[in-house]
Amino acid sequence: MYTTIHVPKIAVQRLRSFCIRRSVRRCNSNGRGREVFASTDHQLSFSRSRIGEFFQTAPRLENQYTSDHPLQSYMKRVVPTEVLEAVFMDLNQFGDQVAGEINDLGRQVELEPPQLEQYDAWGKRVDRLKTSPAWKKLRDIAAKEGLVEIAFSRLYGPWSRVYQVIKLYLFAPSSGLYSCPLAMTDGAAKVIESSGNMMVFHRAYGHLTSRDPTEFWTSGQWMTERKGGSDVGLGTETVAVHQPDGRYRLYGYKWFSSASDADMSLTLARITDADGRVAEGSQGLSLFYLETRGKHGDLNSIQIQRLKNKLGTRQLPTAELLLDGTLAHKLSDDGRGVATISDMLNITRLHNSLNAVGGMRRMINLAQNYCIHREVFGKKLVHHPLHIQTLARLEIECRGALYLVLELSRLLGLEETNEANEEDQLLLRLLMPVTKLYTAKQAMLVASEGLESFGGQGYIEDTGLPGMLRDAQVLPIWEGTTNVLSLDVLRVLHKTQGKAVRVYVADIKRRLSLAEGNADLQSACRAVSIAANVLMEFTVNSANSELAVLEMAARDYSFSLARIYIGALLIEHAAWVESLSTDVYTAQRWCKKQLNVVTERFASGFYNSESQILERDILFN
């Protein structure tokens, strides 16, 4: 179709003269001309000059399981053959569904964020939370696919948790953040299962682990109050008043409540005594179970004050909630709330990590597909060595993080089926915070660098790419910031008296031994072995150091734990008899990076008392 415009006569004459000359030049150079003006009325066609003839090709998603060769090779190497054969068809089908229907629903959710209607037309408070129809469809898919149920059915023993994590890893980047309520649902089911109160809460557990969309429940996790942060012992002001029927009524303000549309929630509160007094600190906190709505669908004495206006995760309904006499059941023993939620934190931190790796994989997949079609400076991006080098670095980072998350899920599966020995349990306790903090930070790096690989298109909201960067930013914040988790690593060292690190080093040595005799991996093995030995020496020497010095080193120490362990995992995979040359190259490249940053910075005086003073002066003087 052509659009016509009318211009003054003199302008037409000048344009006609110019365009004829241009048309002649085109004929001379191209062998063909184009009629510029209509026959008599001097109308000028601008359609092609207005929009041009070239359009960029949008990146295309393929089957998210079969196209993930690092994942498939890991499964073939580690997962028992009978389990692998049993789950292959499901993962293959789900990979197609993720790239198609689920990805479309996730995009629709992003374009249709939740809304809050607090009052009806007559002034009555209703607090209706309106979510996209796609959000509800994703809920149904999550139930049917068993994205929570798989882990608790234990159909494949300890491998059930690995199977679930793989499906969630495929699902998360397409899910429009529905992976978040699934994380809290998984965590709630784990807490109930571990609480010893299954007889009391079997109804809720059955809903949380159902594959029937009409029966499936999601759970919230309402821990954060107005003081905010991870220090729930100081920050929790909600009180619980005991009722004659054995239940409690909760009164408090939950400042950051993700998945506010959940069917139930777990929350912390302080039980009042006969005089209305409460115990302060973490020891005064108990864990409570509540259902968000009553039999008639009305809210359980809960008011939705407002939806949060967030940088990212806008698809997810996150709200400020007032609990004004909310009926609840005590789930933990008195004062044991924080200890009881430790199982939930392990689950949600694992979910955070698999979301991080899933996001990395999605960004790299899109960038890889885009570079095949996008032409710059006379050739496709795929033929520019610098561009390929950049994407390859991201790919190596993603593979290392993926194997770390899969190993963590394997250890968790062993623990959940009572097959974990003491060493497995110590490794799980140490690696859980390490994996969460490391993968979250690397997801930000990959999201930012990956976005840049699309040039200006990466900055355009219509492409859906900017949302990936915004959503990645929450990963280092949710379930404990990088610094909070680094201090948790120090607590593991203290509580185990350093045994956790000794087990960690022994496990690394065992994995490296699998590469003995492999000439291509000897340099990488030496690098990891030396880094592990030096880190162990640093740990022993720091055991009697001042706490402030250890706190300063905690972040770098945690990153060193992650990088060294990933190096061992990559070497183990590269030493496999069916490994590819790219697996060997990945291990080699990884082990040439700075593995043990903490000891190198310690030797440079980063953590001494003088540094503490100077760093404070830099900020405040």
Side-chain angles (χ1 to χ4, degrees):
M1 177 182 291
Y2 289 89
T3 301
T4 59
I5 62 172
H6 293 278
V7 294
K9 185 174 181 180
I10 187 170
V12 170
Q13 292 173 343
R14 291 175 179 172
L15 282 170
R16 185 184 182 102
S17 174
F18 166 77
C19 291
I20 288 174
R21 291 196 302 273
R22 187 178 179 190
S23 179
V24 169
R25 285 197 299 272
R26 284 185 176 179
C27 264
N28 290 339
S29 60
N30 299 329
R32 64 180 183 272
R34 180 165 64 89
E35 185 69 20
V36 178
F37 289 90
S39 58
T40 57
D41 60 359
H42 303 299
Q43 292 178 337
L44 182 64
S45 171
F46 268 89
S47 62
R48 289 186 180 272
S49 60
R50 183 179 62 184
I51 65 173
E53 299 182 11
F54 172 77
F55 296 93
Q56 292 192 36
T57 302
R60 183 172 61 88
L61 287 178
E62 300 176 352
N63 184 304
Q64 293 297 277
Y65 175 63
T66 58
S67 64
D68 196 328
H69 303 298
L71 172 62
Q72 289 202 345
S73 61
Y74 170 89
M75 292 182 67
K76 187 175 181 180
R77 177 176 64 86
V78 177
V79 179
T81 303
E82 61 274 15
V83 176
L84 188 61
E85 291 176 349
V87 303
F88 173 79
M89 290 300 295
D90 179 56
L91 291 175
N92 184 47
Q93 175 274 328
F94 193 58
D96 272 333
Q97 191 178 10
V98 165
E101 177 192 10
I102 293 174
N103 196 59
D104 292 341
L105 290 172
R107 181 60 178 156
Q108 184 181 341
V109 167
E110 187 169 4
L111 297 174
E112 300 171 352
Q115 296 179 343
L116 173 62
E117 179 188 357
Q118 286 186 304
Y119 299 92
D120 67 12
W122 304 97
K124 179 183 177 182
R125 180 133 195 176
V126 291
D127 284 351
R128 293 194 186 102
L129 191 55
K130 299 179 179 180
T131 55
S132 167
W135 184 255
K136 299 174 179 65
K137 290 180 181 178
L138 287 166
R139 173 189 177 280
D140 292 348
I141 290 172
K144 290 177 182 177
E145 292 294 330
L147 296 185
V148 175
E149 183 269 346
I150 287 172
F152 294 92
S153 68
R154 313 271 156 71
L155 182 61
Y156 304 107
W159 300 104
S160 295
R161 180 60 78 175
V162 177
Y163 175 29
Q164 180 221 26
V165 164
I166 290 171
K167 287 197 78 170
L168 287 166
Y169 159 75
L170 300 174
F171 176 76
S174 284
S175 71
L177 265 295
Y178 203 83
S179 52
C180 176
L182 293 182
M184 290 179 283
T185 301
D186 195 352
K190 179 70 172 179
V191 168
I192 292 174
E193 183 185 57
S194 304
S195 68
N197 292 325
M198 281 289 286
M199 291 297 293
V200 178
F201 298 103
H202 70 279
R203 173 174 167 270
Y205 180 82
H207 283 297
L208 295 172
T209 58
S210 176
R211 277 184 179 252
D212 183 350
T214 64
E215 295 291 326
F216 180 60
W217 280 7
T218 58
S219 177
Q221 178 182 311
W222 301 347
M223 308 296 174
T224 306
E225 302 200 2
R226 284 178 294 188
K227 292 184 179 180
S230 300
D231 188 359
V232 293
L234 175 66
T236 301
E237 299 174 319
T238 299
V239 298
V241 181
H242 192 257
Q243 304 298 299
D245 64 359
R247 293 183 294 179
Y248 291 80
R249 287 197 178 272
L250 306 184
Y251 299 86
Y253 197 93
K254 299 300 180 179
W255 187 75
F256 199 96
S257 305
S258 291
S260 301
D261 62 333
D263 302 280
M264 57 157 283
S265 186
L266 301 184
T267 189
L268 294 169
R270 302 182 188 279
I271 300 174
T272 61
D273 62 17
D275 298 320
R277 294 174 300 187
V278 298
E280 300 297 332
S282 297
Q283 294 181 350
L285 293 175
S286 300
L287 185 65
F288 292 85
Y289 157 87
L290 64 89
E291 295 178 19
T292 55
R293 295 185 178 273
K295 293 181 180 179
H296 303 293
D298 53 321
L299 286 171
N300 179 10
S301 299
I302 300 169
Q303 288 187 1
I304 305 177
Q305 299 301 302
R306 66 167 180 158
L307 291 179
K308 290 292 194 182
N309 185 15
K310 300 167 292 181
L311 168 67
T313 67
R314 298 171 183 174
Q315 313 93 312
L316 179 67
T318 306
E320 294 181 25
L321 304 176
L322 175 66
L323 308 186
D324 191 18
T326 304
L327 280 172
H329 297 265
K330 184 161 64 70
L331 181 56
S332 72
D333 294 333
D334 289 358
R336 294 287 297 168
V338 174
T340 305
I341 64 173
S342 61
D343 284 325
M344 172 182 280
L345 289 175
N346 276 343
I347 297 298
T348 52
R349 286 172 179 174
L350 175 61
H351 276 259
N352 200 95
S353 300
L354 68 88
N355 272 268
V357 181
M360 292 187 219
R361 171 55 60 209
R362 174 57 52 81
M363 181 63 80
I364 294 169
N365 280 0
L366 292 174
Q368 181 187 36
N369 187 267
Y370 184 71
C371 79
I372 295 172
H373 304 287
R374 175 64 167 148
E375 185 172 311
V376 177
F377 299 122
K379 57 184 177 180
K380 305 291 187 184
L381 279 173
V382 70
H383 298 305
H384 287 273
L386 183 58
H387 188 79
I388 295 304
Q389 180 192 72
T390 302
L391 295 185
R393 288 174 178 174
L394 301 185
E395 173 65 26
I396 291 171
E397 191 63 56
C398 181
R399 290 189 185 193
L402 173 63
Y403 292 157
L404 183 59
V405 169
L406 291 173
E407 176 61 19
L408 191 66
S409 66
R410 186 188 71 83
L411 291 170
L412 181 60
L414 290 173
E415 183 193 59
E416 291 177 326
T417 53
N418 299 315
E419 296 183 35
N421 57 31
E422 183 184 6
E423 287 75 18
D424 293 329
Q425 293 171 353
L426 287 169
L427 266 179
L428 178 63
R429 178 67 183 90
L430 179 65
L431 291 178
M432 187 64 76
V434 167
T435 301
K436 189 276 178 185
L437 70 87
Y438 186 80
T439 57
K441 297 298 285 187
Q442 299 316 103
M444 281 298 303
L445 180 151
V446 171
S448 179
E449 190 73 63
L451 207 68
E452 186 179 341
S453 72
F454 292 93
Q457 290 299 101
Y459 205 67
I460 303 301
E461 287 288 350
D462 295 348
T463 65
L465 295 169
M468 297 176 68
L469 179 62
R470 287 197 307 272
D471 291 345
Q473 182 60 73
V474 80
L475 295 169
I477 299 173
W478 270 351
E479 310 307 330
T481 62
T482 307
N483 285 353
V484 166
L485 291 172
S486 297
L487 295 177
D488 189 27
V489 171
L490 294 190
R491 282 191 289 273
V492 176
L493 299 184
H494 176 71
K495 289 183 178 181
T496 65
Q497 297 181 327
K499 188 173 182 179
V501 178
R502 292 195 292 274
V503 169
Y504 161 91
V505 172
D507 188 65
I508 286 174
K509 299 290 186 181
R510 178 186 64 80
R511 296 178 190 276
L512 296 182
S513 69
L514 299 174
E516 287 182 1
N518 189 321
D520 294 330
L521 293 172
Q522 291 310 298
S523 177
C525 286
R526 280 196 301 273
V528 171
S529 181
I530 292 171
N533 289 336
V534 173
L535 185 70
M536 186 71 243
E537 183 180 352
F538 173 81
T539 306
V540 172
N541 293 338
S542 300
N544 298 319
S545 299
E546 298 177 9
L547 180 60
V549 173
L550 287 175
E551 284 193 12
M552 290 183 70
R555 189 181 179 111
D556 292 334
Y557 185 84
S558 299
F559 270 72
S560 297
L561 286 169
R563 290 179 179 178
I564 295 169
Y565 200 75
I566 288 173
L569 293 174
L570 291 173
I571 288 172
E572 179 185 26
H573 189 72
W576 179 42
V577 66
E578 295 186 39
S579 70
L580 304 176
S581 59
T582 51
D583 297 318
V584 175
Y585 182 71
T586 297
Q588 292 171 335
R589 282 287 301 272
W590 183 273
C591 295
K592 288 179 180 178
K593 69 192 300 183
Q594 191 179 29
L595 298 177
N596 199 346
V597 62
V598 66
T599 57
E600 295 179 24
R601 290 182 176 177
F602 177 76
S604 300
F606 270 54
Y607 314 123
N608 58 35
S609 56
E610 183 181 359
S611 294
Q612 294 181 48
I613 296 171
L614 291 173
E615 286 170 356
R616 184 176 294 274
D617 288 345
I618 287 173
L619 286 174
F620 300 109
N621 291 339

